[in-house]
Amino acid sequence: MSSEQAATGQTRDTAAGCGQHGVRVFLGAVLHFLDDPGPELDPAAWELFEDGALVVDGEGKVAWAGPAADVPCELRTGATKVDHRGRLIVPGFVDTHLHVSEVDIVASYGEQLLNWLQQYAFPAEAKCADPDYARTVAGIALERMLAAGTTTASVHTSIHTTMVDAFFEQALQRNLRMLSGKVLMDRVTQTPHYLRDPDVQTAEDQTLELIDRWHGKGRLGYSISPRLALTCTEDMLAMVARLHRQQPDLWIQTHGAENPEEIKRVLDIYRAQDSSYRSYIDIYDRFDLLTGKSLFAHCVHIDDTDRVRLAAAGSAVAFCPDSNMFLGSGLFDLDAAWRYGVSVGLGSDIAGGTSYSQLYALNQAYKVVAVRGGRLHALRGFYLATLGGARALSLDRHIGNFTVGKEADFTVLDFAATPTLARRAEIAETFAERLFALMILGDEQAVTATYILGRRVHERQSPAPV
Ligand code: GUN
Ligand code: ZN
């Protein structure tokens, strides 16, 4: 590839030939997944091009990925080259669960879920009625995600339409593929007076308006968002199911089976109406909320019957290891979920979780699996954080890997981001060993740059301290 060095660090191939307009060639090690490698690490499930190239067309779609030496002439000619050699290019991380309304209560001390909600989350969320505050936290959350290499997320907002508008507006400005929706919570005994939908009809009307305004706009999707069975009435859950039956292209996101005290309270309340509810997940199931577009955050305390039901419905679980430990909720059984065929994505769960980084989430996930006696291989970890998340959100026809035509959202990771990581990566003998070092020792410091549709939206500010 003949090229001229440009001041920007980008170069343009000047060979005569049959070039296409606006094509960019990103050089570096390229790793992406075609499928879940599974416990046996099926080598057909991923592609690694150590001296690789990712080619993005003028529309921001993947045109080609492979060895740098093999970039087809028609893509190479006239293309802008961006040099990330020595670094790792992976599809943008997918954070399947976080709360934009909780940006300011990250690292709040000393409580488990129910008290933590009352003491920290609900008061913080109430502030989102103010459009200026809503814009501020939406901006912070999006910038922190991009800095961490996260390009898509399933996001809880608050009950306020102001918060939903602020989040979607800013995601649209940045041309991001994001899912979100208004939080629904109306059960008088379990919600504070200052943070409650006045009635189901009002909540439905506001939801319908927001769907109309945002669903399908740019790359945005609307996720109907009952907060959890505890804070919703039976009528609210029934409304969600009805809405989804009418518009099955919408998503549903909620929480489930996170914390023992929460589970007991939920079952007490629902069983008072109908003693036959078998489990927390069974409540959602009986309200028709287990759909192929449903995402249940946490599911720490579920059993095999729940797993069978989730898998059969094609519903997904957001595994939030950092939050599950920070709030003392418990250890999600990832291996069991996978064994039963449940679709699982990784979540930061800001602000039950404490980091926007999916590398940090993988570090925590590794430890949760280890405490349970298992192992999370780096290749399965990176699958989970990319294509696995895209599948959990039913977005894998758009994002999640570098097959031709996918949207070119990606992140560039630096094996030398910190002295400890640099040393460990340097002495590693295999790529898998280096990747594991990145998964365990990396966080947002390891993110050199993040690209949306082939355009850089984040670049690490300070040089790596090596
Ligand atoms: N369950 C219901 N709401 C929340 C929340 O905001 N955070 C967490 N971790 N769990 C929840
Ligand atoms: Zn949550």
Side-chain angles (χ1 to χ4, degrees), residues 97 99 255 298 349:
H97 183 69
H99 296 254
H255 298 83
H298 306 290
D349 191 25

Side-chain angles (χ1 to χ4, degrees), residues 74-95:
E74 70 274 16
L75 294 173
R76 199 172 59 198
T77 306
T80 300
K81 266 205 294 177
V82 184
D83 192 354
H84 287 301
R85 280 175 296 181
R87 298 196 164 129
L88 179 67
I89 301 172
V90 295
F93 294 130
V94 178
D95 186 342

Side-chain angles (χ1 to χ4, degrees), residues 77-158:
T77 306
T80 300
K81 266 205 294 177
V82 184
D83 192 354
H84 287 301
R85 280 175 296 181
R87 298 196 164 129
L88 179 67
I89 301 172
V90 295
F93 294 130
V94 178
D95 186 342
T96 59
H97 183 69
L98 79 158
H99 296 254
V100 65
S101 55
E102 295 175 8
V103 157
D104 284 345
I105 57 154
V106 70
S108 288
Y109 175 74
E111 298 296 345
Q112 291 213 353
L113 179 65
L114 295 180
N115 287 342
W116 180 86
L117 287 171
Q118 294 291 338
Q119 199 167 318
Y120 302 117
F122 291 160
E125 211 150 308
K127 295 189 205 165
C128 301
D130 172 1
D132 286 339
Y133 183 79
R135 263 193 300 277
T136 299
V137 289
I140 291 172
L142 288 168
E143 288 308 307
R144 293 332 306 151
M145 279 190 248
L146 294 172
T150 296
T151 51
T152 286
S154 185
V155 177
H156 280 256
T157 55
S158 67

